[in-house]
Amino acid sequence: MTPGRHAHAVLVAGAGGVGKTTISAALAVAAARDGKRTLVVTVDPARRLADALGLSELGNQPTRVAGQRHLWGAMLDVTASWEAIVRRHAAVEVADRLEENPFFRAVADRFPAAQAYAAGEQMAEFIESGTWDVLIVDTPPAVGGIEFFLAPGRMRDLVGGRLLRWLTGAHIPARRTLYRITARPVLRLADTVLGGPLLEEIAEFLLDLRTLYDGLSHRARSIERHLRSAVTVVVTTAQPTPLREATRLFTELPVAAGRPDLVVFNRTLPEAWGAGGRLRAPGLPEATRRALRDNLKRWADESRRQRQARDELAGRFGVAMASLPWLEEAPISLQGLTRLLDAAEGLPLDRLGLIGTE
Ligand SMILES: Nc1ncnc2c1ncn2[C@@H]1O[C@H](COP(=O)(O)OP(=O)(O)OP(=O)(O)O)[C@@H](O)[C@H]1O
Ligand SMILES: [Mg+2]
């Protein structure tokens, strides 16, 4: 590859538990197998998958997957990412203070939007590093859907937003602004009632956060550009909640954010099951026959429901569809991931930019 070239990014989005991490890892295996220097950034993979990817002990620092020449893995460490973000965008003493601030830690560690933003910044860093041909981003569980794409804009709104302006006065903050916090008397009064310096500390935290505004809003725009030029893969199952989240990614994303390129239906049943079938098992007791018949019918219904959900999404949004079968054994090793890839239907690895020449 040309040194300094941006990595081709593939984002894997979708509701919780649908198989985002598994599919991210599988796509990364496919790209690496094709000789592309590939990094998969995942979040909290299942223990055995983490072991398979050599991620058990890891954080933001990419590490080569054992035995794989072209495959690296990293696991998003939100706290470390936020520390890096603050170091990048704030003056040293502000960064020191923020890192000490319990509210900062709480926000960075627990808020889904902060997690999504951290993942976005981390993604941008990796894309721009020029070290990889392909970057696969597994979106954080709490924000697997549309929130991931909205996070940069929201972060920009938060640090430049109305609440902060109200607290800090209209102008761009300098440390001295702290002493002019418009709302300070109110906060002090409330703190007296609450019996501690809670709100005042929060105000200081927000004020420090606001000094990040210039750097952060500039970065947020470049993250949005990366999100737009990335390929987006939406993972779903035929369950109502994942389907709703998948639909939102088509209907509620701002036009400027682009549009998903592929929907992957995961854990599908064989289509042939939808045809049902007659139970020919003479000699079985009637109760057993009934139970087996009910079972067959249930799986046939489920298979048809899946098919219908797939057709509906494809028809409504005119998007390419792929299916990954429900494997008997969960794909939590490199071999398992390869098996999943081999069993995939309609997975256009070339069009996703994962294999073949560019
Ligand atoms: N096609 C499949 N066949 C069988 N098991 C699967 C398949 N896809 C995923 N799984 C299993 O389903 C579980 C959930 O998958 P995974 O962790 O990839 O989902 P996720 O979308 O990343 O979840 P979260 O939102 O919690 O991060 C895992 O145990 C995984 O091994
Ligand atoms: Mg996951």
Side-chain angles (χ1 to χ4, degrees):
M1 71 177 285
T2 331
R5 240 190 68 178
H6 284 187
H8 168 62
V10 176
L11 313 176
V12 180
V18 290
K20 295 180 299 292
T21 302
T22 304
I23 290 168
S24 300
L27 296 178
V29 166
R33 211 163 56 177
D34 196 52
K36 307 235 183 318
R37 291 167 59 89
T38 304
L39 171 64
V40 53
V41 185
T42 169
V43 192
D44 242 356
R47 185 90 243 143
R48 284 185 54 199
L49 183 58
D51 289 343
L53 292 175
L55 288 169
S56 319
E57 307 288 317
L58 292 173
N60 288 332
Q61 201 54 44
T63 302
R64 199 196 295 255
V65 176
Q68 301 289 307
R69 259 188 77 201
H70 299 293
L71 184 56
W72 281 258
M75 196 156 85
L76 182 70
D77 177 339
V78 178
T79 307
S81 296
W82 265 102
E83 282 173 9
I85 290 167
V86 163
R87 295 279 154 206
R88 224 173 279 139
H89 302 309
V92 179
E93 76 275 11
V94 176
D96 287 344
R97 206 164 42 231
L98 272 171
E99 282 180 15
E100 294 291 302
N101 189 306
F103 298 107
F104 174 74
R105 299 221 82 93
V107 167
D109 291 346
R110 299 206 201 108
F111 273 72
Q115 204 183 52
Y117 182 79
E121 273 237 16
Q122 201 61 58
M123 171 194 79
E125 295 292 313
F126 287 139
I127 289 177
E128 293 165 8
S129 78
T131 313
W132 290 281
D133 300 312
V134 170
L135 172 73
I136 313 274
V137 182
D138 170 24
T139 54
V143 290
I146 193 165
E147 277 70 21
F148 179 67
F149 296 85
L150 303 178
R154 286 199 176 141
M155 199 49 68
R156 208 173 38 230
D157 288 349
L158 172 71
V159 291
R162 236 185 308 165
L163 171 64
L164 282 167
R165 273 207 293 279
W166 177 69
L167 283 166
T168 62
H171 298 293
I172 286 304
R175 188 61 188 158
R176 67 193 143 76
T177 334
L178 180 58
Y179 303 102
R180 294 198 282 107
I181 291 184
T182 323
R184 176 158 276 191
V186 184
L187 300 184
R188 214 166 262 159
L189 180 63
D191 278 345
T192 312
V193 176
L194 293 168
L198 181 68
L199 295 180
E200 226 181 318
E201 272 182 14
I202 293 178
E204 289 197 17
F205 155 61
L206 291 173
L207 193 74
D208 276 339
L209 197 63
R210 194 168 168 207
T211 68
L212 302 183
Y213 181 69
D214 283 342
L216 226 138
S217 62
H218 187 254
R219 194 57 173 147
R221 289 208 191 283
S222 64
I223 296 171
E224 284 169 328
R225 273 196 301 278
H226 287 309
L227 291 175
R228 264 197 306 280
S229 41
V231 161
T232 303
V233 173
V234 176
V235 182
T236 188
T237 63
Q239 303 304 309
T241 306
L243 277 176
R244 207 173 312 122
E245 201 56 45
T247 304
R248 283 183 74 203
L249 282 160
F250 285 92
T251 55
E252 291 178 33
L253 264 192
V255 180
R259 203 167 174 282
D261 300 86
L262 175 76
V263 174
V264 175
F265 264 82
N266 190 25
R267 289 203 213 99
T268 57
L269 300 174
E271 265 191 43
W273 288 15
R278 278 178 51 117
L279 182 67
R280 264 187 285 272
L284 282 181
E286 183 50 31
T288 311
R289 290 172 61 84
R290 201 172 319 119
L292 284 173
R293 257 202 309 271
D294 286 351
N295 227 315
L296 275 181
K297 181 173 179 315
R298 180 161 175 265
W299 290 111
D301 287 348
E302 181 59 30
S303 169
R304 277 198 299 271
R305 200 167 25 247
Q306 290 184 348
R307 163 108 212 225
Q308 201 182 355
R310 216 159 40 220
D311 291 350
E312 255 171 45
L313 263 193
R316 183 161 170 209
F317 301 114
V319 63
M321 293 275 162
S323 303
L324 298 184
W326 191 346
L327 297 185
E328 264 168 63
E329 209 179 303
I332 41 181
S333 63
L334 286 171
Q335 292 92 314
L337 296 174
T338 307
R339 246 193 329 271
L340 187 64
L341 281 171
D342 293 344
E345 268 177 49
L347 192 62
L349 294 173
D350 47 353
R351 271 199 290 121
L352 296 178
L354 294 172
I355 62 167
T357 48
E358 291 147 46

